[in-house]
Amino acid sequence: MKAYDFVVIGSGIAGLSFALKAARHGSVAVVTKRKGADSNTAWAQGGIACVTSDEDSFELHVRDTLDAGAGLCDERVVRTIVTEAPARIHDLVELGLHFDEREVSGHREFDLGREGGHSKRRVLHVADVTGKEIENVLLRELSRQSHVDLLENHMAVDLITAAKLGFAAEDRCLGVYVLDEQTGEVETIRSDRIVLATGGCGKVYLYTTNPDIATGDGVAMAWRAGATIANMEFVQFHPTCLFHPKAKSFLISEAVRGEGGILRNNRGEDFMKRYDPRGSLAPRDIVARAIDAEIKRSGAQCVFLDITDKPVEFLRERFPNIYETCLRFGIDMTKQPIPVVPAAHYQCGGVKTDVNGATSLSGLYAIGEVGCTGLHGANRLASNSLLEGLVVAHRAVAAAIESRSLRDQRAIPLPEWESGNVQDVDELVVIYHNWDEIRRLMWDYVGIVRTDKRLQRASARLRNLQREIREFYWNFKVSVDLLELRNLATVAALIVDSALSRKESRGLHYTLDYPERDERDYVRSTLLSRV
Ligand code: SIN
């Protein structure tokens, strides 16, 4: 049995930042189910929001975050994260990250992008490949650490807790079962400080901007272990995902609208002005709903993002990745509007934590998209998420070190994994069918605009699917496909249950049955827990 001082599950900005800092204090395993760089972070285009300009202030960043969050942000958390941002950006720069700069009156300063809901330019970026650059820098640094084992192609199956082993007096995390995808064996790893950094759950929807790894693994594991889950009804749909039959999950960054891109309907009309005075740069929930309404009204398949009035050179330099990718699909963004549709993008809820990433289960931390600190409330402000990952990872290291090291708990023997009936899954078709069914029913019944009836239909169907999946799980040898399916079904059910319990419309949760905000009964987080 392996043992580490810290086990980090996930290898995006939050997980790698934690691992690098924790390695100064003990041994670390980073468990990641594909390659190190396969993370949501690597796909992030926009950048990191941080106050760096004289024209901006912490107060404005706080206000914009609270406005977007529609009354559900935790203001103390917002203030902490916003004010600690410059120090964490400095850490990245020290590791060798070069954010784009520009020349202003003889000196260099950060080239700041603008995105929806921000009252100032404050998004630090590396062209339109910010996340990829961050991931490269962090992985390079990780490879220099002797205290860190990067376990690629390893997928966490379940957390091992004292309560599950019958020690119910004070529940806490003791370790984790991990599937080695090459050998097919499930290993037991002991650690009393486990950090979930698994990202979000975009794959629960048919259309998403997320990579294939985003199957809600962290939330599902935490739920099974008895941790509290918060605000899962708030799924952010990004308004502009490339619409093309052959393009899978390609995001057209909000920064394109920040640089003047205008959304037009199939008649060429700048329709956003009818929905919000901020037009195409209104917060995402408003823009995504407006696009949904335009598409439903006109029967068109998509709307268009038009930035053709900008100079060709500017577009190619500022958006090299978007320009090249669109061109590969036969769309020249310098000459023609880009066809776009909304797609699931970000999980604003997650495993409930404090601002240090500590969950309700002792020894378990959740950082980055998998956690719900209270920063995003009912709707995340663009480019606040990489920032949250950085700040909370830093704070979680300090909290995990301070937390009581439970040497005595190490006396508790951890059972090895038991495979019930070790047959291989010969019914792969059932897994794929269920996988597709979940994603389609979530898209059709639990999307941008909801109703109780659709949510109830989704709930009933999901219960059946969960029963079938449970049977599979106990009867067959576990595989990545099966584990991901089990997690997707769990997270889908959590989203539906949370949505059903919020009888109002707020931020990203919009229901035709209760179209107004209810300031009396619902200015609170939705909390779910198995125990
Ligand atoms: C984008 O570039 O539009 C995505 C940024 C974000 O989701 O924060």
Side-chain angles (χ1 to χ4, degrees):
M1 181 182 309
K2 292 178 179 155
Y4 292 90
D5 293 307
F6 307 92
V7 172
V8 181
I9 305 171
S11 57
I13 188 169
L16 295 180
S17 302
F18 182 97
L20 284 172
K21 292 181 176 175
R24 298 177 199 149
H25 306 274
S27 59
V28 184
V30 177
V31 174
T32 189
K33 63 182 179 177
R34 307 270 196 283
K35 292 280 169 216
D38 288 321
S39 62
N40 286 324
T41 296
W43 284 38
Q45 295 181 359
I48 306 188
C50 176
V51 174
T52 57
S53 129
D54 292 343
E55 286 161 29
D56 198 1
S57 70
F58 290 144
E59 218 40 59
L60 285 175
H61 190 180
V62 167
R63 199 193 64 195
D64 293 344
T65 303
L66 295 177
D67 279 356
L72 287 200
C73 298
D74 180 330
E75 187 167 341
R76 274 179 316 145
V77 169
V78 175
R79 285 190 185 281
T80 303
I81 291 177
V82 162
T83 53
E84 292 183 10
R88 300 291 72 84
I89 292 296
H90 180 74
D91 293 348
L92 276 183
V93 171
E94 289 279 287
L95 289 179
L97 188 75
H98 297 289
F99 288 107
D100 284 3
E101 292 180 346
R102 61 189 187 127
E103 189 88 18
V104 181
S105 329
H107 71 279
R108 308 282 301 163
E109 56 182 48
F110 288 127
D111 178 49
L112 299 175
R114 182 160 181 197
E115 293 179 18
H118 287 276
S119 55
K120 294 286 175 193
R121 284 187 171 268
R122 65 167 72 98
V123 181
L124 282 79
H125 63 95
V126 184
D128 57 357
V129 286
T130 312
K132 193 159 171 253
E133 292 299 317
I134 292 173
E135 192 72 26
N136 288 343
V137 164
L138 294 175
L139 279 171
R140 190 182 60 213
E141 191 59 26
L142 200 83
S143 68
R144 297 180 178 145
Q145 306 292 324
S146 53
H147 277 89
V148 184
D149 287 344
L150 177 61
L151 305 177
E152 294 181 319
N153 301 310
H154 281 65
M155 179 167 178
V157 178
D158 259 325
L159 299 166
I160 307 170
T161 62
K164 278 192 198 167
L165 300 184
F167 298 90
E170 188 209 359
D171 198 14
R172 61 164 297 113
C173 247
L174 300 172
V176 57
Y177 291 118
V178 173
L179 171 67
D180 177 339
E181 294 163 35
Q182 247 123 45
T183 64
E185 298 303 318
V186 175
E187 300 170 354
T188 308
I189 300 183
R190 181 189 283 280
S191 178
D192 57 15
R193 277 159 293 184
I194 306 242
V195 181
L196 299 173
T198 48
C201 66
K203 294 300 281 188
V204 86
Y205 285 95
L206 190 57
Y207 302 111
T208 175
T209 62
N210 292 183
D212 289 345
I213 47 117
T215 51
D217 304 332
V219 167
M221 274 190 292
W223 166 256
R224 289 193 291 269
T228 304
I229 310 295
N231 288 349
M232 288 300 287
E233 67 272 39
F234 300 116
V235 176
Q236 187 169 67
F237 288 79
H238 196 293
T240 57
C241 185
L242 177 61
F243 176 74
H244 187 280
K246 296 217 168 91
K248 186 181 161 201
S249 315
F250 187 70
L251 177 72
I252 306 296
S253 174
E254 193 151 308
V256 174
R257 279 176 285 137
E259 297 299 345
I262 300 289
L263 284 162
R264 300 190 187 283
N265 59 19
N266 57 349
R267 294 197 304 275
E269 186 195 355
D270 174 0
F271 63 89
M272 273 311 303
K273 294 246 175 68
R274 278 194 272 112
Y275 292 87
D276 192 284
R278 290 163 287 189
S280 293
L281 261 190
R284 282 184 192 171
D285 54 331
I286 296 169
V287 181
R289 263 200 309 279
I291 296 176
D292 189 64
E294 283 298 303
I295 288 177
K296 287 200 171 110
R297 207 162 54 105
S298 65
Q301 287 184 296
C302 61
V303 295
F304 298 89
L305 182 54
D306 184 359
I307 191 158
T308 51
D309 66 343
K310 289 282 171 205
V312 174
E313 275 323 303
F314 167 76
L315 291 177
R316 287 167 64 160
E317 195 177 318
R318 177 67 179 86
F319 301 113
N321 181 32
I322 296 175
Y323 171 76
E324 289 296 338
T325 306
C326 286
L327 214 52
R328 274 208 305 281
F329 291 109
I331 301 156
D332 182 347
M333 70 187 278
T334 67
K335 298 200 176 75
Q336 66 193 109
I338 307 168
V340 290
V341 282
H345 182 61
Y346 194 87
Q347 165 194 302
C348 292
V351 187
K352 183 168 171 39
T353 73
D354 63 12
V355 72
N356 303 323
T359 70
S360 62
L361 181 61
S362 192
L364 182 68
Y365 297 81
I367 58 179
E369 188 172 352
V370 66
C372 180
T373 58
L375 173 69
H376 307 310
N379 183 24
R380 178 184 65 107
L381 184 67
S383 290
N384 263 356
S385 41
L386 293 178
L387 172 62
E388 183 188 43
L390 272 181
V391 172
V392 179
H394 179 87
R395 297 180 69 90
V397 173
I401 287 161
E402 260 175 42
S403 78
R404 194 162 52 100
S405 180
L406 294 160
R407 303 262 163 217
D408 51 327
Q409 299 277 2
R410 300 199 173 184
I412 299 179
L414 302 191
E416 293 296 334
W417 175 260
E418 266 183 50
S419 288
N421 177 354
V422 270
Q423 300 171 51
D424 278 325
V425 174
D426 57 357
E427 299 266 8
L428 272 183
V429 64
V430 181
I431 293 188
Y432 297 138
H433 176 90
N434 286 353
W435 176 281
D436 284 346
E437 188 170 346
I438 292 171
R439 300 184 65 208
R440 184 166 289 281
L441 81 85
M442 289 298 286
W443 186 259
D444 288 342
Y445 298 153
V446 199
I448 297 171
V449 176
R450 300 163 177 178
T451 65
D452 271 357
K453 199 165 156 203
R454 288 183 216 158
L455 291 174
Q456 274 148 5
R457 193 166 288 166
S459 172
R461 189 63 203 119
L462 281 167
R463 300 297 160 213
N464 284 340
L465 285 164
Q466 282 188 292
R467 242 194 321 276
E468 260 176 41
I469 294 165
R470 250 194 314 273
E471 235 171 74
F472 253 77
Y473 178 74
W474 291 116
N475 288 331
F476 294 98
K477 192 165 177 172
V478 293
S479 65
V480 171
D481 286 338
L482 179 53
L483 294 174
E484 288 186 338
L485 175 66
R486 180 169 80 128
N487 292 340
L488 268 190
T490 302
V491 169
L494 288 169
I495 295 172
V496 172
D497 288 350
S498 304
L500 272 169
S501 74
R502 185 169 288 280
K503 307 289 186 202
E504 63 153 2
S505 290
R506 179 184 297 272
L508 299 163
H509 174 68
Y510 183 78
T511 162
L512 294 175
D513 293 320
Y514 314 95
E516 305 298 331
R517 270 204 214 182
D518 178 344
E519 298 297 357
R520 210 190 50 193
D521 290 331
Y522 287 100
V523 190
R524 57 173 165 77
S525 292
T526 305
L527 301 180
L528 299 177
S529 154
R530 279 183 90 179
V531 288

